[in-house]
Amino acid sequence: MSGLFFAAGSADYEHGELCELGGVAGDLERVQELFTRTLGYGGAPALLNESAGTLRSTLGGEPHTCFYADDTVVVYYTGHGDDMNGRHYLLCVDSDPDRPAATALSTEDLVRLMHERGARRLLLIIDTCYAAIGGAESVSEAARSMALELGQRPQLYVGQGLTAFSVISAARDHERAVDRRFSQALVQAVSSEACGGTRARRLLLEDVVDHINRALGESGTSQHATHATLLSDPEGHPFFPNPRHTDDTPPEHISLAEQRVWVMSRRAAERPEAKASAPEVPVGRARDLARLEAWSDAEAAPRRWLPITGSPGSGKSTLLRALAQRLAWRAGAQPVPPAAHLLVDLRHRHVEDLVSAIAVSEGAPPDTPPEQLEAGLRTRVTPFVLLVDGVEEAGAPGDAAEPARVARFLSGLAARVGQMRVIATWHPARDGAPRSPDGVDLDRTTEDDKSALVDLATRLLLAPDGPGSDSGWTPEQAREAAPGVVGRAGGNQLVLRLEVLRLTTPGAQPLPEGSDGSLSVPEAFRRALRARCPDLGVHALLTGLAFAHGTGLPWAGGLWQDTVSRMYGLALTDDDVRKVLECAAPFVTEAVDSAGRSVYRLHHEAYAEALRTEALEAQPDSAERMLEALEEEARKREEHARREPGRFTDPYLVEHLPRHRTGGRRPPAPDLSAPEPAQHAPDELAQLLQHLLMCQIQGLGEMTPTLRELLRTSILITTSKTPSIESVQDTQGHKRVTVRAAPGESLHITEF
């Protein structure tokens, strides 16, 4: 997909009533550099002080200079703007404010120019006074235009209509735009890590506008940017690629501190082509890795799944990832791979997510029904090695039912599919832990001899955030301190790493006498956290992550800091989040949520459990306080959406607020290995989802009569789980709103 950027503006005006604008040239240069250099758009030189006729002919292009189907087009205009009789006009160098229809360029015509050239994805940015009038008008007029064209010439519309169309307005319809402020805020928003970290491929338009408004507010102006969306691609707004994203994405399992070092080392290295080598075996785990490989290579399917058990921090995930790397290396080194393999991290996820991941790996749609997927897997003639990490942490924090449900699903899959080899991590303290003579118990393994752990501690003391990082320690200091670290770790690799993080913190205090006894994971975590992050706000924000569900909380849009502020009565800001992601980077990891945004969670579930325990001891109603904070955030954002149609409901609130309401427990779900009759969803969930769907409908903007009638007589279908609400517009202009129920769920039907 290629991007094309067009910029135009007027600073000087022939008509005496229009004052000169000294900041227009700088605005054009600033935004042109943002889109062409930072975001990678192609573009022609900006058009400054051109007549309305020149703008029409230049932006309209030559008769046969149409856009390609995969082009994304962004048009930015800055200068004076005015409205007359409900229409918005861009005033050009020769415009007469009393005769805008004849001498200016209407915002509607600008959209038509791009539409006639075949633009499929269009973002219009209007940096003028009263710009919101132009934004609303362009959306509504484009809707009417396309509906009219569809009715009169449908054969010309196929394959040429807009598929994504949004407008950003620098000011509301009653506000004047302050010179230079909007363009500066736009650049600040795109360059801020608050809108997206390293993993997000794109920045959400809503998040960019939110950040613009925060910047405008900090500058002291009463100006507010707004946005409107008429059409959206199924994958969201494609207009702002994330400048921090890299195709060479860091591994998902590493901390934020390790991720940053990893990215910097990749960017700094020349990366010459070299022959791939076998992955490094985890310290002291060569024998265990060999047993897992033998299980994966078994000629006859074992017909049961193999558990890797061990206490938190014993290295279960590390061993499973090492096996995945080993299988990938073997597959790449042989002309015909002996087996397919898939590694799935199931922390805070559910059986349905596992089914979707397997389906996608097999080339099937992600919503393939489990029974259909299993039937396809039975036709395989080569082995399929399924590696599942975090089974004991599936579902919401504290959920004991979902891990057992996953275990039943894995048992059924391994027993019924002849080519399946299933290996999964499992906490030995859980009731119903599987028993297998081939299982690997890392708590009883004797391979981690003292010399191997001392070697690991020495390497970590020199590079605590992975290869490429530097603690400032000398090799002699590291070798001297390593035996003490190993002694306090008691064979637990997570405790060992936490002690290293504490010791390598600048200004770390020496240990008191008699403190050489082994530590538990919570004790080691608290010591490391106190050493690196004594700030109360940091501790509160991390505790908020401990009570979060799913992949984590987003910084973009402010949900993370706003929720925790309400939870603890604090006034947390973006600066507090930056402090967390700096001093607590070894304890936090970045992920991507269902909307493609960067979200943050604690790097290890043991950290989350320690913080939850500490919070509940101090305030037994901590989980209820977070629920109340999220409820208040939801009400505030719904009120905002009513004032500004087009606002979206935060995906975290849509997906996880119902689970917070049930105390982290999922409603009863069927065992996918033996389906049971479904139960009707609770009425309150149906009412909630009806409200969410109505919010979606309100955000569709101007609608054709046919669409309005369709939505007026819609039937809402909900389930006991949050459904997927989809809005699709086909090439003929028809709008379809679809509610998808998860496989095996009951349907609750409400007519409205």
Side-chain angles (χ1 to χ4, degrees):
M1 183 181 295
S2 60
L4 298 172
F5 177 73
F6 300 91
S10 295
D12 304 320
Y13 296 87
E14 297 174 358
H15 202 280
E17 292 184 20
L18 299 173
C19 63
E20 295 182 359
L21 297 174
V24 166
D27 288 338
L28 290 173
E29 182 179 353
R30 193 175 296 114
V31 179
Q32 180 102 11
E33 182 173 353
L34 171 68
F35 277 91
T36 58
R37 293 195 177 183
T38 304
L39 301 181
Y41 279 73
L47 301 171
L48 176 62
N49 294 330
E50 298 289 353
S51 67
T54 301
L55 283 182
R56 285 191 185 90
S57 61
T58 303
L59 294 177
E62 298 298 326
H64 300 292
T65 56
C66 293
F67 300 122
Y68 293 105
D70 62 347
D71 287 339
T72 296
V73 182
V74 177
V75 182
Y76 170 78
Y77 189 88
T78 180
H80 280 303
D82 205 351
D83 68 289
M84 181 174 287
N85 299 323
R87 300 190 72 184
H88 185 265
Y89 292 91
L90 308 174
L91 301 183
C92 306
V93 66
D94 61 340
S95 296
D96 181 350
D98 295 328
R99 301 173 56 242
T103 62
L105 178 63
S106 75
T107 307
E108 174 198 341
D109 285 344
L110 184 57
V111 177
R112 288 179 181 275
L113 288 173
M114 297 297 105
H115 188 209
E116 287 178 359
R117 291 185 64 177
R120 304 295 303 278
R121 285 168 289 274
L122 175 63
L123 171 63
L124 181 61
I125 305 176
I126 311 172
D127 188 2
T128 72
C129 294
Y130 320 116
I133 295 176
E137 178 202 60
S138 62
V139 168
S140 60
E141 287 301 322
R144 295 189 187 100
S145 173
M146 287 188 290
L148 181 62
E149 186 176 356
L150 173 62
Q152 295 180 345
R153 297 183 296 171
Q155 71 279 4
L156 299 180
Y157 187 81
V158 176
Q160 296 182 10
L162 287 165
T163 60
F165 176 34
S166 296
V167 182
I168 297 178
S169 306
R172 294 174 181 168
D173 55 13
H174 59 277
E175 296 174 341
R176 291 187 176 274
V178 180
D179 210 12
R180 302 182 181 89
R181 295 288 175 81
F182 173 80
S183 65
Q184 293 170 347
L186 174 60
V187 172
Q188 179 182 334
V190 174
S191 61
S192 173
E193 192 178 0
C195 285
T198 303
R199 295 193 178 280
R201 290 184 173 274
R202 56 185 174 82
L203 310 180
L204 266 66
L205 183 146
E206 293 90 345
D207 292 336
V208 171
V209 173
D210 278 344
H211 200 95
I212 289 172
N213 283 326
R214 287 202 295 273
L216 289 173
E218 292 169 0
S219 70
T221 179
S222 60
Q223 176 182 345
H224 297 82
T226 64
H227 73 277
T229 296
L230 172 66
L231 296 171
S232 179
D233 276 351
E235 308 216 345
H237 309 295
F239 304 116
F240 290 98
N242 182 7
R244 288 163 294 280
H245 177 74
T246 173
D247 291 334
D248 198 4
T249 308
E252 292 185 359
H253 63 273
I254 64 178
S255 70
L256 195 60
E258 294 173 288
Q259 173 181 307
R260 289 169 179 165
V261 172
W262 195 93
V263 170
M264 286 190 295
S265 64
R266 292 301 189 277
R267 289 176 177 172
E270 295 181 359
R271 292 162 60 179
E273 294 295 328
K275 184 178 179 181
S277 58
E280 181 182 352
V281 177
V283 174
R285 299 298 189 194
R287 186 174 178 181
D288 293 325
L289 187 61
R291 292 174 63 191
L292 296 178
E293 281 193 84
W295 174 276
S296 304
D297 294 337
E299 292 186 9
R303 297 291 181 176
R304 61 185 180 277
W305 67 284
L306 180 144
I308 302 175
T309 61
S311 56
S314 57
K316 302 186 297 294
S317 298
T318 301
L319 183 59
L320 196 66
R321 288 193 298 268
L323 175 61
Q325 292 174 348
R326 181 76 185 179
L327 295 175
W329 175 77
R330 286 169 44 186
Q334 300 182 34
V336 180
H341 78 279
L342 174 67
L343 173 62
V344 181
D345 187 344
L346 216 58
R347 288 176 178 83
H348 302 305
R349 301 171 73 187
H350 303 87
V351 170
E352 290 76 17
D353 299 301
L354 178 58
V355 172
S356 295
I358 299 173
V360 171
S361 72
E362 291 290 277
D367 57 352
T368 300
E371 58 277 7
Q372 182 178 334
L373 176 63
E374 185 175 313
L377 289 171
R378 289 176 183 167
T379 65
R380 290 189 62 94
V381 295
T382 57
F384 184 99
V385 183
L386 177 62
L387 311 175
V388 187
D389 194 12
V391 173
E392 69 278 11
E393 298 164 27
D399 185 352
E402 190 64 21
R405 183 170 174 246
V406 174
R408 290 195 300 272
F409 173 75
L410 294 178
S411 296
L413 197 65
R416 294 191 297 268
V417 179
Q419 292 295 343
M420 291 295 295
R421 282 89 168 134
V422 181
I423 302 174
T425 63
W426 187 265
H427 195 302
R430 291 280 192 184
D431 294 335
R435 298 287 183 261
S436 171
D438 304 300
V440 175
D441 186 351
L442 299 187
D443 286 335
R444 292 200 298 265
T445 302
T446 60
E447 299 298 323
D448 283 348
D449 57 281
K450 186 174 181 179
S451 62
L453 287 175
V454 167
D455 179 64
L456 173 63
T458 303
R459 286 190 282 118
L460 289 175
L461 286 166
L462 294 173
D465 296 324
S469 61
D470 184 7
S471 66
W473 284 42
T474 66
E476 292 76 15
Q477 290 173 321
R479 284 194 292 269
E480 182 179 348
V485 172
V486 171
R488 291 188 293 277
N492 188 291
Q493 292 192 21
L494 185 58
V495 173
L496 186 149
R497 290 177 179 272
L498 287 168
E499 275 294 279
V500 166
L501 289 173
R502 185 188 65 80
L503 288 173
T504 54
T505 301
Q509 298 297 318
L511 289 172
E513 294 294 331
S515 58
D516 290 335
S518 60
L519 298 167
S520 67
V521 173
E523 290 172 335
F525 172 66
R526 282 192 288 269
R527 286 157 56 116
L529 183 59
R530 281 197 301 268
R532 299 184 71 95
C533 310
D535 186 86
L536 176 62
V538 170
H539 191 89
L541 285 166
L542 290 176
T543 303
L545 294 186
F547 282 97
H549 295 335
T551 52
L553 288 172
W555 181 6
L559 184 65
W560 180 8
Q561 62 266 40
D562 292 348
T563 299
V564 177
S565 293
R566 293 179 184 276
M567 186 177 176
Y568 288 106
L570 301 173
L572 301 171
T573 65
D574 282 346
D575 288 337
D576 293 296
V577 177
R578 289 188 183 93
K579 191 181 297 183
V580 170
L581 300 185
E582 183 59 37
C583 72
F587 311 123
V588 177
T589 188
E590 179 191 346
V592 177
D593 70 1
S594 60
R597 303 178 301 174
S598 290
V599 293
Y600 300 91
R601 58 180 172 82
L602 289 159
H603 180 226
H604 200 285
E605 181 61 22
Y607 304 163
E609 189 170 345
L611 287 172
R612 285 196 300 270
T613 300
E614 186 177 277
L616 291 170
E617 288 175 352
Q619 295 179 321
D621 63 342
S622 291
E624 290 78 8
R625 291 165 68 93
M626 184 166 191
L627 171 60
E628 291 173 1
L630 289 170
E631 296 272 18
E632 183 60 30
E633 279 299 306
R635 286 192 290 270
K636 182 188 76 172
R637 289 161 190 260
E638 288 168 5
E639 177 62 28
H640 193 180
R642 284 192 289 271
R643 294 196 308 269
E644 292 184 18
R647 298 287 307 175
F648 78 137
T649 302
D650 191 285
Y652 183 91
L653 296 174
V654 174
E655 296 173 21
H656 301 297
L657 186 53
R659 292 173 187 164
H660 281 278
R661 288 173 176 148
T662 59
R665 300 181 304 275
R666 283 172 54 83
D671 182 355
L672 296 187
S673 61
E676 301 171 355
Q679 302 296 319
H680 286 287
D683 289 343
E684 58 268 25
L685 283 179
Q687 295 170 4
L688 168 68
L689 294 173
Q690 178 173 336
H691 171 72
L692 294 177
L693 183 54
M694 292 302 297
C695 290
Q696 296 279 335
I697 293 169
Q698 291 170 3
L700 293 176
E702 187 71 15
M703 295 179 285
T704 64
T706 301
L707 175 58
R708 188 178 302 280
E709 178 64 17
L710 170 65
L711 296 180
R712 190 183 68 79
T713 59
S714 291
I715 293 178
L716 174 65
I717 302 176
T718 65
T719 71
S720 59
K721 290 186 290 228
T722 304
S724 171
I725 301 176
E726 304 174 1
S727 176
V728 180
Q729 178 135 354
D730 63 19
T731 56
Q732 296 295 323
H734 296 106
K735 179 75 74 172
R736 299 192 305 275
V737 177
T738 303
V739 181
R740 293 189 182 276
E745 287 299 315
S746 59
L747 299 180
H748 185 96
I749 302 175
T750 304
E751 193 168 341
F752 64 92

